[in-house]
């Protein structure tokens, strides 16, 4: 396991803050990003040590200001990862926080030039954090949480910095009660995971076992903790259920003491190497192995439904998804209680596309970023529109395959790094029938290439990958064999953009493409209005996270 080098991280933070002594905003921004990446890497490879650094008492030899900065960055990293924040967003959140600390210690820095540079680089997230710079080192900063104008990212930074400043003088549990009490109801779920960590047992805490034996927590994993138990001149390490461990009123050992104990019992702690402080993450570019086995079973000429049922039942998320979908899909909306009945409701041909879309959506949305709610809403609406259109026209698409292909087409919304640090979706006003013109972002990679690459990794048919290749072209430029399906995707993209975001009349080029698609599919304006009414519940934009 890589070392959590406190001296090196202190040096990095000091260098980042000192860089503000030079009137070069670019240098300061880049230095903060580099330092944030170092902290992220250290917390990724040594999460136990990172948590102990926040929890334990620190030696007087360390600079209080620098130690507070590092403790706040460490806590931001730990809670951010546990809350499934996107890595790129988290890096920028840490860097912006460090820059805000630096501005407080360098009041003569030319802030105007810095803000101009941040706007040039579209780092709007940083600007929102810099507004908090004068409050980060104030013991009463938590009172700002009552303001409705604060976004979730600002609340996260404010809370972490206050905890780093005020603990261990006050317990984490006491602080969390104040945060939750002062926060508007919509934002109280932000602290859901914080109640157990750092609010519960954490590395370095002194505990009592079996009502008599004392020990020190070395590692925390879900329902178990590794405790170094003292016995005369020796210590032993045991993994114990949290229900058997009693915390001693927030007391913690020093960081140096914890380090000695942890090094001594490293092998005992690593016995539960399959456990982790962070939740599991899954690759986006390929399907889960369990789904691949199900798809292979579906493609067999003589598919055995009973064997297929067993494969699906092994995956609770798949089985619950199919049961819920089948219960909503039948005319009487009667509850469907068996996987076999759900399969017969949809048919073997459609089950595969449904499961692939379900798994793909789950992997695309597994990490949070400020615009993830809006992006998810647009992708969901676009898939629904494509599915409805496939039900109304003659096409090779089934409603399920249309929704799946539309999901692949909208997938770059969740994979483009530029979108991870924005607080407002940069909508383009012209030519947005082409996915490359949907948003105003500076990227050299074609949208279609990202969608195609993802579809290839998920083993999609060559026909649907060809559709993604032609996305954005006028219908007349697409081969006749693909034209109707192409028009469904283009209509879904254009009208989803109009319904969800509005912002005036589309440009003449977009109107012409939409008219050509409607003519090709023989879709009347009244049919489009009817679809809009049926999908009215999806026409909403969530708040920026």
């Amino acid at each position: 396991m890589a070392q959590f080098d406190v001296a090196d991280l202190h040096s990095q933070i000091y260098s980042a803050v000192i860089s503000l002594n030079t009137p070069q905003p670019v240098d300061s921004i880049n230095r903060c990003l580099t330092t944030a990446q170092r902290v992220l890497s250290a917390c990724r490879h040594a999460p136990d040590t990172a948590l102990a650094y926040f929890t334990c008492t620190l030696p007087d030899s360390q600079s209080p200001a620098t130690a507070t900065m590092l403790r706040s960055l460490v806590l931001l990293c730990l809670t951010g990862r546990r809350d499934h924040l996107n890595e790129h967003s988290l890096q920028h959140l840490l860097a912006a926080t460090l820059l805000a600390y630096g501005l407080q210690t360098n009041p003569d820095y030319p802030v105007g030039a810095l803000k101009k540079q941040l706007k040039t680089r579209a780092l709007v997230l940083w600007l929102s954090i810099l507004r908090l710079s004068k409050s980060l080192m104030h013991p009463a900063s938590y009172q700002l949480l009552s303001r409705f104008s604060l976004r979730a990212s600002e609340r996260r930074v404010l809370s972490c910095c206050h905890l780093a400043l005020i603990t261990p003088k006050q317990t984490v549990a006491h602080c969390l009660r104040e945060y939750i009490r002062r926060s508007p109801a919509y934002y109280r779920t932000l602290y859901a995971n914080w109640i157990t960590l750092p609010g519960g047992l954490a590395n370095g805490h002194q505990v009592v076992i079996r009502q008599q034996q004392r020990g020190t927590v070395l590692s925390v994993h879900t329902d178990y903790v590794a405790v170094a138990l003292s016995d005369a001149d020796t210590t032993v390490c045991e993994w114990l259920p949290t229900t058997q461990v009693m915390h001693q009123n927030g007391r913690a050992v020093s960081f140096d003491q914890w380090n000695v104990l942890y090094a001594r019992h490293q092998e005992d702690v690593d016995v539960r190497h399959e456990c982790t402080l962070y939740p599991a993450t899954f690759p986006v570019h390929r399907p889960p192995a369990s789904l691949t086995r199900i798809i292979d079973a579906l493609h067999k000429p003589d598919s055995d439904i009973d064997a297929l049922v067993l494969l699906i039942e092994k995956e609770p998320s798949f089985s619950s998804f199919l049961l819920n979908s089948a219960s909503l899909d039948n005319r009487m909306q009667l509850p469907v209680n068996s996987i076999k009945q759900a399969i017969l409701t949809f048919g073997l041909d459609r089950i595969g596309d449904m499961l692939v879309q379900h798994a793909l959506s789950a992997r695309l949305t597994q990490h949070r970023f400020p615009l993830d709610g809006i992006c998810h809403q647009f992708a969901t609406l676009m898939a629904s529109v494509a599915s409805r259109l496939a039900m109304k026209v003659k096409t090779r698409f089934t409603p399920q395959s249309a929704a799946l292909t539309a999901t692949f087409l909208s997938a770059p919304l969740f994979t483009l790094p530029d979108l991870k640090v924005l607080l407002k979706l940069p909508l383009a006003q012209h030519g947005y029938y082409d996915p490359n013109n949907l948003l105003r972002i500076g990227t050299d990679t074609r949208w279609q290439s990202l969608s195609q690459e993802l579809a290839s990794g998920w083993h999609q048919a060559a026909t649907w990958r060809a559709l993604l290749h032609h996305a954005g072209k006028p219908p007349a430029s697409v081969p006749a064999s693909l034209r109707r399906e192409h028009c469904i995707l283009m209509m879904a993209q254009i009208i989803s953009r109009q319904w969800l975001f509005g912002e005036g009349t589309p440009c003449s080029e977009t109107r012409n493409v939409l008219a050509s698609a409607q003519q090709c599919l023989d879709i009347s304006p009244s049919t489009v209005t009817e679809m809009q009414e049926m999908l009215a519940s999806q026409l909403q934009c969530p708040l920026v996270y």
Side-chain angles (χ1 to χ4, degrees), residues 386 389-390 392-397 402 464 467 475 478-491 516-523:
L389 287 171
K392 294 182 177 295
V393 302
K394 186 178 180 181
T395 172
R396 287 184 292 176
F397 269 151
W464 303 151
L467 271 175
V478 178
S481 60
L482 299 173
R483 191 167 297 155
R484 295 181 72 81
E485 291 73 27
H486 171 80
C487 288
I488 287 174
L489 293 180
M490 289 300 95
M491 276 196 69
S516 298
Q518 287 180 292
Q519 183 179 6
C520 176
L521 297 175
D522 195 21
I523 293 287

mmCIF file of all heavy atoms in Angstrom, residues 386 389-390 392-397 402 464 467 475 478-491 516-523:
data_model
loop_
_atom_site.group_PDB
_atom_site.id
_atom_site.type_symbol
_atom_site.label_atom_id
_atom_site.label_comp_id
_atom_site.label_asym_id
_atom_site.label_seq_id
_atom_site.Cartn_x
_atom_site.Cartn_y
_atom_site.Cartn_z
ATOM 1 N N ALA A 386 -37.743 8.393 -28.019
ATOM 2 C CA ALA A 386 -37.376 7.430 -29.061
ATOM 3 C C ALA A 386 -38.235 6.170 -28.962
ATOM 4 O O ALA A 386 -38.683 5.616 -29.984
ATOM 5 C CB ALA A 386 -35.900 7.074 -28.948
ATOM 6 N N LEU A 389 -41.784 6.966 -30.241
ATOM 7 C CA LEU A 389 -41.798 7.078 -31.701
ATOM 8 C C LEU A 389 -41.735 5.700 -32.354
ATOM 9 O O LEU A 389 -42.420 5.443 -33.357
ATOM 10 C CB LEU A 389 -40.619 7.937 -32.173
ATOM 11 C CG LEU A 389 -40.723 9.442 -31.903
ATOM 12 C CD1 LEU A 389 -39.389 10.131 -32.216
ATOM 13 C CD2 LEU A 389 -41.842 10.060 -32.734
ATOM 14 N N ALA A 390 -40.908 4.803 -31.800
ATOM 15 C CA ALA A 390 -40.790 3.450 -32.364
ATOM 16 C C ALA A 390 -42.100 2.686 -32.264
ATOM 17 O O ALA A 390 -42.360 1.781 -33.076
ATOM 18 C CB ALA A 390 -39.678 2.690 -31.636
ATOM 19 N N LYS A 392 -45.027 4.077 -32.714
ATOM 20 C CA LYS A 392 -46.032 4.711 -33.572
ATOM 21 C C LYS A 392 -45.732 4.590 -35.060
ATOM 22 O O LYS A 392 -46.596 4.896 -35.886
ATOM 23 C CB LYS A 392 -46.165 6.195 -33.196
ATOM 24 C CG LYS A 392 -46.739 6.409 -31.800
ATOM 25 C CD LYS A 392 -46.908 7.872 -31.480
ATOM 26 C CE LYS A 392 -47.547 8.058 -30.114
ATOM 27 N NZ LYS A 392 -48.932 7.529 -30.069
ATOM 28 N N VAL A 393 -44.513 4.206 -35.434
ATOM 29 C CA VAL A 393 -44.161 4.148 -36.859
ATOM 30 C C VAL A 393 -43.637 2.758 -37.205
ATOM 31 O O VAL A 393 -43.270 1.973 -36.323
ATOM 32 C CB VAL A 393 -43.102 5.209 -37.215
ATOM 33 C CG1 VAL A 393 -43.595 6.600 -36.862
ATOM 34 C CG2 VAL A 393 -41.780 4.925 -36.525
ATOM 35 N N LYS A 394 -43.597 2.482 -38.495
ATOM 36 C CA LYS A 394 -43.054 1.218 -38.974
ATOM 37 C C LYS A 394 -41.527 1.332 -39.025
ATOM 38 O O LYS A 394 -40.967 2.152 -39.746
ATOM 39 C CB LYS A 394 -43.614 0.909 -40.358
ATOM 40 C CG LYS A 394 -43.213 -0.467 -40.881
ATOM 41 C CD LYS A 394 -43.835 -0.735 -42.237
ATOM 42 C CE LYS A 394 -43.424 -2.119 -42.747
ATOM 43 N NZ LYS A 394 -44.007 -2.397 -44.082
ATOM 44 N N THR A 395 -40.848 0.489 -38.252
ATOM 45 C CA THR A 395 -39.395 0.586 -38.145
ATOM 46 C C THR A 395 -38.814 -0.744 -37.678
ATOM 47 O O THR A 395 -39.527 -1.582 -37.108
ATOM 48 C CB THR A 395 -39.012 1.697 -37.125
ATOM 49 O OG1 THR A 395 -37.622 1.674 -36.889
ATOM 50 C CG2 THR A 395 -39.726 1.499 -35.804
ATOM 51 N N ARG A 396 -37.523 -0.913 -37.897
ATOM 52 C CA ARG A 396 -36.847 -2.109 -37.382
ATOM 53 C C ARG A 396 -36.594 -1.999 -35.886
ATOM 54 O O ARG A 396 -36.271 -2.982 -35.227
ATOM 55 C CB ARG A 396 -35.512 -2.325 -38.110
ATOM 56 C CG ARG A 396 -35.681 -2.831 -39.541
ATOM 57 C CD ARG A 396 -34.333 -3.124 -40.170
ATOM 58 N NE ARG A 396 -33.570 -1.915 -40.393
ATOM 59 C CZ ARG A 396 -32.318 -1.899 -40.856
ATOM 60 N NH1 ARG A 396 -31.685 -3.042 -41.102
ATOM 61 N NH2 ARG A 396 -31.701 -0.758 -41.059
ATOM 62 N N PHE A 397 -36.724 -0.808 -35.367
ATOM 63 C CA PHE A 397 -36.595 -0.603 -33.925
ATOM 64 C C PHE A 397 -37.770 -1.241 -33.183
ATOM 65 O O PHE A 397 -38.929 -1.111 -33.612
ATOM 66 C CB PHE A 397 -36.619 0.892 -33.594
ATOM 67 C CG PHE A 397 -35.277 1.561 -33.566
ATOM 68 C CD1 PHE A 397 -35.166 2.921 -33.876
ATOM 69 C CD2 PHE A 397 -34.124 0.883 -33.195
ATOM 70 C CE1 PHE A 397 -33.943 3.571 -33.829
ATOM 71 C CE2 PHE A 397 -32.892 1.520 -33.153
ATOM 72 C CZ PHE A 397 -32.804 2.869 -33.465
ATOM 73 N N ALA A 402 -34.911 1.112 -29.506
ATOM 74 C CA ALA A 402 -34.848 2.556 -29.778
ATOM 75 C C ALA A 402 -34.370 3.308 -28.542
ATOM 76 O O ALA A 402 -33.509 4.197 -28.619
ATOM 77 C CB ALA A 402 -36.215 3.069 -30.212
ATOM 78 N N TRP A 464 -26.883 -0.838 -35.376
ATOM 79 C CA TRP A 464 -27.107 0.279 -34.454
ATOM 80 C C TRP A 464 -25.849 1.124 -34.299
ATOM 81 O O TRP A 464 -25.933 2.340 -34.110
ATOM 82 C CB TRP A 464 -27.556 -0.243 -33.103
ATOM 83 C CG TRP A 464 -28.789 -1.107 -33.090
ATOM 84 C CD1 TRP A 464 -29.063 -2.091 -32.201
ATOM 85 C CD2 TRP A 464 -29.913 -1.075 -33.983
ATOM 86 N NE1 TRP A 464 -30.279 -2.685 -32.467
ATOM 87 C CE2 TRP A 464 -30.821 -2.069 -33.567
ATOM 88 C CE3 TRP A 464 -30.244 -0.315 -35.110
ATOM 89 C CZ2 TRP A 464 -32.018 -2.332 -34.219
ATOM 90 C CZ3 TRP A 464 -31.440 -0.568 -35.779
ATOM 91 C CH2 TRP A 464 -32.314 -1.550 -35.333
ATOM 92 N N LEU A 467 -25.884 3.529 -37.080
ATOM 93 C CA LEU A 467 -26.803 4.639 -36.815
ATOM 94 C C LEU A 467 -26.112 5.735 -36.005
ATOM 95 O O LEU A 467 -26.275 6.930 -36.276
ATOM 96 C CB LEU A 467 -28.011 4.130 -36.028
ATOM 97 C CG LEU A 467 -29.200 3.605 -36.827
ATOM 98 C CD1 LEU A 467 -30.250 3.040 -35.880
ATOM 99 C CD2 LEU A 467 -29.794 4.691 -37.704
ATOM 100 N N PRO A 475 -31.475 13.790 -42.860
ATOM 101 C CA PRO A 475 -32.003 12.482 -43.280
ATOM 102 C C PRO A 475 -31.642 12.092 -44.704
ATOM 103 O O PRO A 475 -31.384 10.921 -44.992
ATOM 104 C CB PRO A 475 -33.509 12.652 -43.112
ATOM 105 C CG PRO A 475 -33.644 13.668 -42.012
ATOM 106 C CD PRO A 475 -32.498 14.605 -42.212
ATOM 107 N N VAL A 478 -28.373 10.049 -45.245
ATOM 108 C CA VAL A 478 -28.244 8.755 -44.575
ATOM 109 C C VAL A 478 -28.757 7.660 -45.502
ATOM 110 O O VAL A 478 -29.758 7.864 -46.210
ATOM 111 C CB VAL A 478 -29.045 8.758 -43.247
ATOM 112 C CG1 VAL A 478 -28.975 7.402 -42.554
ATOM 113 C CG2 VAL A 478 -28.518 9.846 -42.329
ATOM 114 N N PRO A 479 -28.094 6.488 -45.563
ATOM 115 C CA PRO A 479 -28.593 5.388 -46.413
ATOM 116 C C PRO A 479 -30.059 5.082 -46.141
ATOM 117 O O PRO A 479 -30.522 5.134 -44.994
ATOM 118 C CB PRO A 479 -27.686 4.210 -46.012
ATOM 119 C CG PRO A 479 -26.431 4.843 -45.520
ATOM 120 C CD PRO A 479 -26.842 6.121 -44.872
ATOM 121 N N ALA A 480 -30.791 4.762 -47.193
ATOM 122 C CA ALA A 480 -32.228 4.525 -47.076
ATOM 123 C C ALA A 480 -32.556 3.424 -46.080
ATOM 124 O O ALA A 480 -33.584 3.471 -45.396
ATOM 125 C CB ALA A 480 -32.809 4.190 -48.449
ATOM 126 N N SER A 481 -31.670 2.426 -45.957
ATOM 127 C CA SER A 481 -31.932 1.294 -45.061
ATOM 128 C C SER A 481 -31.909 1.700 -43.591
ATOM 129 O O SER A 481 -32.453 0.991 -42.737
ATOM 130 C CB SER A 481 -30.897 0.189 -45.298
ATOM 131 O OG SER A 481 -29.589 0.677 -45.059
ATOM 132 N N LEU A 482 -31.294 2.847 -43.299
ATOM 133 C CA LEU A 482 -31.199 3.308 -41.911
ATOM 134 C C LEU A 482 -31.995 4.581 -41.652
ATOM 135 O O LEU A 482 -32.036 5.065 -40.512
ATOM 136 C CB LEU A 482 -29.725 3.585 -41.540
ATOM 137 C CG LEU A 482 -28.744 2.418 -41.598
ATOM 138 C CD1 LEU A 482 -27.324 2.929 -41.368
ATOM 139 C CD2 LEU A 482 -29.100 1.385 -40.542
ATOM 140 N N ARG A 483 -32.644 5.092 -42.695
ATOM 141 C CA ARG A 483 -33.176 6.449 -42.596
ATOM 142 C C ARG A 483 -34.273 6.586 -41.542
ATOM 143 O O ARG A 483 -34.309 7.553 -40.779
ATOM 144 C CB ARG A 483 -33.697 6.894 -43.962
ATOM 145 C CG ARG A 483 -34.028 8.385 -44.045
ATOM 146 C CD ARG A 483 -34.235 8.810 -45.479
ATOM 147 N NE ARG A 483 -32.995 8.627 -46.237
ATOM 148 C CZ ARG A 483 -32.969 8.453 -47.561
ATOM 149 N NH1 ARG A 483 -34.087 8.428 -48.257
ATOM 150 N NH2 ARG A 483 -31.813 8.295 -48.189
ATOM 151 N N ARG A 484 -35.197 5.650 -41.492
ATOM 152 C CA ARG A 484 -36.307 5.774 -40.543
ATOM 153 C C ARG A 484 -35.793 5.721 -39.093
ATOM 154 O O ARG A 484 -36.231 6.499 -38.233
ATOM 155 C CB ARG A 484 -37.352 4.682 -40.801
ATOM 156 C CG ARG A 484 -38.027 4.811 -42.158
ATOM 157 C CD ARG A 484 -39.062 3.719 -42.366
ATOM 158 N NE ARG A 484 -40.253 3.906 -41.545
ATOM 159 C CZ ARG A 484 -41.259 4.717 -41.847
ATOM 160 N NH1 ARG A 484 -41.216 5.436 -42.974
ATOM 161 N NH2 ARG A 484 -42.315 4.813 -41.063
ATOM 162 N N GLU A 485 -34.895 4.810 -38.809
ATOM 163 C CA GLU A 485 -34.336 4.722 -37.469
ATOM 164 C C GLU A 485 -33.521 5.973 -37.129
ATOM 165 O O GLU A 485 -33.554 6.471 -35.999
ATOM 166 C CB GLU A 485 -33.459 3.482 -37.336
ATOM 167 C CG GLU A 485 -34.215 2.151 -37.366
ATOM 168 C CD GLU A 485 -34.719 1.795 -38.762
ATOM 169 O OE1 GLU A 485 -34.079 2.250 -39.754
ATOM 170 O OE2 GLU A 485 -35.724 1.081 -38.874
ATOM 171 N N HIS A 486 -32.802 6.482 -38.135
ATOM 172 C CA HIS A 486 -32.033 7.718 -37.951
ATOM 173 C C HIS A 486 -32.967 8.880 -37.601
ATOM 174 O O HIS A 486 -32.670 9.684 -36.702
ATOM 175 C CB HIS A 486 -31.255 8.018 -39.235
ATOM 176 C CG HIS A 486 -30.589 9.364 -39.239
ATOM 177 N ND1 HIS A 486 -29.399 9.617 -38.607
ATOM 178 C CD2 HIS A 486 -30.976 10.550 -39.805
ATOM 179 C CE1 HIS A 486 -29.054 10.880 -38.782
ATOM 180 N NE2 HIS A 486 -29.990 11.471 -39.503
ATOM 181 N N CYS A 487 -34.098 8.962 -38.289
ATOM 182 C CA CYS A 487 -35.050 10.045 -38.038
ATOM 183 C C CYS A 487 -35.645 9.956 -36.632
ATOM 184 O O CYS A 487 -35.909 10.982 -35.990
ATOM 185 C CB CYS A 487 -36.171 10.008 -39.086
ATOM 186 S SG CYS A 487 -35.634 10.532 -40.733
ATOM 187 N N ILE A 488 -35.850 8.738 -36.148
ATOM 188 C CA ILE A 488 -36.358 8.568 -34.777
ATOM 189 C C ILE A 488 -35.364 9.153 -33.773
ATOM 190 O O ILE A 488 -35.745 9.882 -32.846
ATOM 191 C CB ILE A 488 -36.619 7.077 -34.486
ATOM 192 C CG1 ILE A 488 -37.868 6.608 -35.247
ATOM 193 C CG2 ILE A 488 -36.784 6.822 -32.998
ATOM 194 C CD1 ILE A 488 -38.138 5.125 -35.140
ATOM 195 N N LEU A 489 -34.084 8.852 -33.959
ATOM 196 C CA LEU A 489 -33.069 9.375 -33.036
ATOM 197 C C LEU A 489 -32.948 10.895 -33.126
ATOM 198 O O LEU A 489 -32.829 11.586 -32.107
ATOM 199 C CB LEU A 489 -31.716 8.726 -33.324
ATOM 200 C CG LEU A 489 -31.595 7.225 -33.041
ATOM 201 C CD1 LEU A 489 -30.190 6.744 -33.376
ATOM 202 C CD2 LEU A 489 -31.920 6.920 -31.589
ATOM 203 N N MET A 490 -32.995 11.433 -34.366
ATOM 204 C CA MET A 490 -32.877 12.877 -34.525
ATOM 205 C C MET A 490 -34.082 13.604 -33.925
ATOM 206 O O MET A 490 -33.940 14.629 -33.239
ATOM 207 C CB MET A 490 -32.753 13.236 -36.012
ATOM 208 C CG MET A 490 -31.415 12.852 -36.636
ATOM 209 S SD MET A 490 -29.985 13.646 -35.840
ATOM 210 C CE MET A 490 -29.488 12.365 -34.674
ATOM 211 N N MET A 491 -35.278 13.058 -34.162
ATOM 212 C CA MET A 491 -36.470 13.674 -33.577
ATOM 213 C C MET A 491 -36.407 13.627 -32.051
ATOM 214 O O MET A 491 -36.751 14.599 -31.366
ATOM 215 C CB MET A 491 -37.730 12.949 -34.069
ATOM 216 C CG MET A 491 -38.253 13.420 -35.405
ATOM 217 S SD MET A 491 -39.958 12.869 -35.682
ATOM 218 C CE MET A 491 -40.843 13.849 -34.470
ATOM 219 N N SER A 516 -38.061 17.319 -41.995
ATOM 220 C CA SER A 516 -37.715 16.177 -42.871
ATOM 221 C C SER A 516 -37.914 14.851 -42.136
ATOM 222 O O SER A 516 -38.422 13.877 -42.703
ATOM 223 C CB SER A 516 -36.270 16.297 -43.339
ATOM 224 O OG SER A 516 -36.069 17.463 -44.093
ATOM 225 N N ALA A 517 -37.527 14.817 -40.857
ATOM 226 C CA ALA A 517 -37.695 13.595 -40.070
ATOM 227 C C ALA A 517 -39.167 13.274 -39.862
ATOM 228 O O ALA A 517 -39.594 12.114 -39.979
ATOM 229 C CB ALA A 517 -36.987 13.742 -38.726
ATOM 230 N N GLN A 518 -39.981 14.288 -39.568
ATOM 231 C CA GLN A 518 -41.413 14.067 -39.385
ATOM 232 C C GLN A 518 -42.065 13.585 -40.674
ATOM 233 O O GLN A 518 -42.940 12.712 -40.654
ATOM 234 C CB GLN A 518 -42.090 15.357 -38.907
ATOM 235 C CG GLN A 518 -41.775 15.714 -37.465
ATOM 236 C CD GLN A 518 -42.463 16.998 -37.040
ATOM 237 O OE1 GLN A 518 -42.123 18.080 -37.539
ATOM 238 N NE2 GLN A 518 -43.403 16.900 -36.128
ATOM 239 N N GLN A 519 -41.621 14.153 -41.798
ATOM 240 C CA GLN A 519 -42.170 13.727 -43.089
ATOM 241 C C GLN A 519 -41.788 12.295 -43.407
ATOM 242 O O GLN A 519 -42.606 11.500 -43.883
ATOM 243 C CB GLN A 519 -41.673 14.664 -44.186
ATOM 244 C CG GLN A 519 -42.257 14.354 -45.564
ATOM 245 C CD GLN A 519 -41.767 15.325 -46.627
ATOM 246 O OE1 GLN A 519 -40.907 16.162 -46.354
ATOM 247 N NE2 GLN A 519 -42.292 15.212 -47.830
ATOM 248 N N CYS A 520 -40.542 11.935 -43.121
ATOM 249 C CA CYS A 520 -40.076 10.571 -43.382
ATOM 250 C C CYS A 520 -40.848 9.552 -42.543
ATOM 251 O O CYS A 520 -41.190 8.465 -43.030
ATOM 252 C CB CYS A 520 -38.571 10.480 -43.087
ATOM 253 S SG CYS A 520 -37.873 8.831 -43.260
ATOM 254 N N LEU A 521 -41.146 9.902 -41.314
ATOM 255 C CA LEU A 521 -41.841 8.976 -40.402
ATOM 256 C C LEU A 521 -43.351 9.123 -40.457
ATOM 257 O O LEU A 521 -44.075 8.324 -39.835
ATOM 258 C CB LEU A 521 -41.369 9.229 -38.960
ATOM 259 C CG LEU A 521 -39.884 8.985 -38.663
ATOM 260 C CD1 LEU A 521 -39.550 9.400 -37.234
ATOM 261 C CD2 LEU A 521 -39.519 7.520 -38.874
ATOM 262 N N ASP A 522 -43.824 10.154 -41.181
ATOM 263 C CA ASP A 522 -45.264 10.442 -41.265
ATOM 264 C C ASP A 522 -45.844 10.685 -39.868
ATOM 265 O O ASP A 522 -46.866 10.110 -39.485
ATOM 266 C CB ASP A 522 -45.998 9.283 -41.961
ATOM 267 C CG ASP A 522 -47.411 9.693 -42.393
ATOM 268 O OD1 ASP A 522 -47.655 10.904 -42.517
ATOM 269 O OD2 ASP A 522 -48.267 8.789 -42.560
ATOM 270 N N ILE A 523 -45.155 11.546 -39.120
ATOM 271 C CA ILE A 523 -45.581 11.925 -37.775
ATOM 272 C C ILE A 523 -46.216 13.307 -37.832
ATOM 273 O O ILE A 523 -45.583 14.271 -38.276
ATOM 274 C CB ILE A 523 -44.383 11.941 -36.800
ATOM 275 C CG1 ILE A 523 -43.852 10.536 -36.585
ATOM 276 C CG2 ILE A 523 -44.766 12.567 -35.470
ATOM 277 C CD1 ILE A 523 -44.728 9.655 -35.743
#
